[in-house]
Amino acid sequence: MIFSPGKRPVIVLVSFGLVRCFDIRSKRDHREKYSIRLESGGLMIMKGDLQVDWELK
């Protein structure tokens, strides 16, 4: 059996210990980008069109 998360999965990121920066940019306009700083114990939830319209680096 193969598991498929679907077209718009919900992704949960948790930081344990170290600060981590996640860079995202628009797939339509690569000049539009953001850096998200996730502190130790921080939680980030990615859902909906984020996976469709944005690239995570």
Side-chain angles (χ1 to χ4, degrees):
M1 185 162 114
I2 298 174
F3 173 76
S4 175
K7 292 183 180 180
R8 289 183 169 75
V10 175
I11 308 293
V12 178
L13 303 167
V14 180
S15 176
F16 295 105
L18 298 175
V19 174
R20 175 129 188 237
C21 290
F22 292 93
D23 297 321
I24 61 171
R25 71 177 182 183
S26 170
K27 289 181 179 178
R28 284 181 266 162
D29 182 357
H30 287 177
R31 295 172 295 172
E32 186 177 3
K33 50 189 163 184
Y34 301 93
S35 184
I36 301 164
R37 183 179 164 97
L38 196 59
E39 302 285 337
S40 176
L43 173 75
M44 183 167 79
I45 299 173
M46 300 185 302
K47 63 181 188 171
D49 288 335
L50 183 76
Q51 299 287 75
V52 174
D53 298 331
W54 295 83
E55 296 174 330
L56 178 67
K57 294 194 168 223

